[in-house]
Amino acid sequence: MHAITIPEPGGPEALVWAEVPDPVPGEGEVLVEVVSSAVNRADVLQRQGFYNPPPGASPYPGLECAGRVAALGPGVTGWSVGDEVCALLAGGGYAEKVAVPSGQLLPVPAGVDLAVAAALPEVAATVWSNVFMVAHLRPGETVLIHGGSSGIGTMAIQLAKAVGARVAVTAGGPEKLARCKELGADILIDYREQDFVEELRQATDGAGADVILDIVGAAYLDRNVRALAVNGRLAIIGLQGGAKGELNLGALLTKRAAVTATSLRGRPLAEKSAIIAAVREHVWPLITEGVVRPIVDRTVPMANAAEAHRVLESSTHIGKVLLLTPAAT
């Protein structure tokens, strides 16, 4: 098979489409013939040499994929060769085949094109696990989503609206904010021109956000705490603005607030399987009903993954950028 390899860390040109050995599914694993994968920030960090795969994971980038079951490893039940699936991965999505723990597989939702389904697993698992399983967003509460036009953001807006929450977003520029509004966002904040703490305060009559989903990290830490409501929950899932910041514990005590930080890639298989099961139970019906949909900005041949990485790093996209293997044509 072919896969995107990284002989040496570097810029987008470091991604090389090369012939590599086929993976063999182990105990409890399924071999998937990949039709598409999606590009995530973690892939960029891996390409740059800053985010290696967990021990035992595929060395190739790619945290999600869609395709068809090609073979079953020992002990696998509930799946058959030929099933159309999408999957959450610890790595290996940028390839023509990948071995996946069966607990991380999902059926392609009814009404979703097989290739487009690659846009779903990572964002659905990240949003559901953080916003709902950890931060416990409830109907009638206000959630602030940073990076509202990103893949994570576009999924978070839709899921929050589906459960009856009020949604505030930050994004860069009127075009991205307009797309967020189309998806259901109620409060639109241009982070380039506006102070999200002040804008949120005005929009909520001083109450603030009950839940904040943050991809920025250190650069937003103090402002996020100030933007929280009493009993608010800040869920940090990214460090685009740095890893080290000063946390005002006094402000947290006064607001009886909580700060959590999670990553998905390195979690134990049992935890990932539990998250995927929750996504299948709670998110998949919303997709099947058309209440929630994958947002795809563009598709790129997988052999040209460098082009897709340039798009992601330029931050000009809205939603997800997909990579298509030859099997997609």
Side-chain angles (χ1 to χ4, degrees):
M1 73 169 189
H2 284 79
I4 289 291
T5 63
I6 309 173
E8 295 290 339
E13 68 282 353
L15 301 173
V16 178
W17 185 242
E19 190 167 355
V20 299
D22 284 13
V24 177
E27 181 76 27
E29 292 185 332
V30 169
L31 183 67
V32 175
E33 181 186 21
V34 176
V35 168
S36 59
S37 186
V39 181
N40 291 283
R41 293 284 175 183
D43 305 335
V44 173
L45 292 174
Q46 182 174 337
R47 187 204 75 215
Q48 295 170 336
F50 300 132
Y51 193 20
N52 293 326
S58 169
Y60 316 123
L63 299 184
E64 55 195 332
C65 73
R68 299 178 180 89
V69 174
L72 304 178
V76 173
T77 59
W79 301 100
S80 301
V81 172
D83 284 348
E84 294 192 343
V85 297
C86 53
L88 180 71
L89 309 172
Y94 290 21
E96 292 180 307
K97 296 177 183 178
V98 64
V100 186
S102 61
Q104 292 169 216
L105 283 181
L106 288 157
V108 173
V112 176
D113 180 80
L114 175 58
V116 172
L120 290 170
E122 196 272 342
V123 293
T126 297
V127 172
W128 191 261
S129 63
N130 283 279
V131 176
F132 299 95
M133 297 174 73
V134 174
H136 302 291
L137 179 68
R138 294 181 286 268
E141 290 191 322
T142 297
V143 57
L144 171 62
I145 300 163
H146 289 301
S149 63
S150 66
I152 292 289
T154 54
M155 176 58 67
I157 292 168
Q158 296 179 84
L159 287 178
K161 291 300 291 185
V163 303
R166 187 183 187 197
V167 177
V169 298
T170 62
E175 180 184 355
K176 290 186 175 183
L177 288 172
R179 292 296 300 275
C180 293
K181 184 176 181 180
E182 290 173 6
L183 293 172
D186 304 289
I187 303 166
L188 308 174
I189 304 168
D190 187 339
Y191 70 84
R192 296 173 180 170
E193 305 290 339
Q194 298 170 295
D195 177 359
F196 70 80
V197 179
E198 179 60 23
E199 295 297 323
L200 192 64
R201 186 191 67 79
Q202 292 184 19
T204 60
D205 295 324
D210 300 290
V211 173
I212 298 177
L213 184 64
D214 178 50
I215 60 173
V216 177
Y220 274 11
L221 183 58
D222 177 66
R223 281 183 285 169
N224 277 333
V225 171
R226 287 192 280 124
L228 280 174
V230 173
N231 295 315
R233 291 86 72 195
L234 168 61
I236 300 172
I237 60 170
L239 302 173
Q240 294 180 28
K244 294 183 179 181
E246 185 171 307
L247 180 61
N248 186 339
L249 294 177
L252 282 183
L253 285 168
T254 299
K255 293 187 175 184
R256 302 185 296 280
V259 178
T260 61
T262 71
S263 64
L264 191 57
R265 187 181 197 181
R267 289 192 184 208
L269 293 181
E271 290 187 19
K272 289 184 182 179
S273 295
I275 291 169
I276 290 299
V279 165
R280 185 170 183 174
E281 178 183 357
H282 298 286
V283 180
W284 252 226
L286 296 173
I287 297 171
T288 299
E289 295 164 10
V291 176
V292 173
R293 58 191 174 90
I295 305 299
V296 175
D297 187 279
R298 70 192 75 186
T299 61
V300 177
M302 189 173 285
N304 297 338
E307 176 188 342
H309 274 225
R310 292 186 183 98
V311 170
L312 201 75
E313 290 182 284
S314 71
S315 292
T316 56
H317 64 294
I318 294 172
K320 302 285 280 191
V321 178
L322 298 185
L323 300 173
L324 303 183
T325 69
T329 58

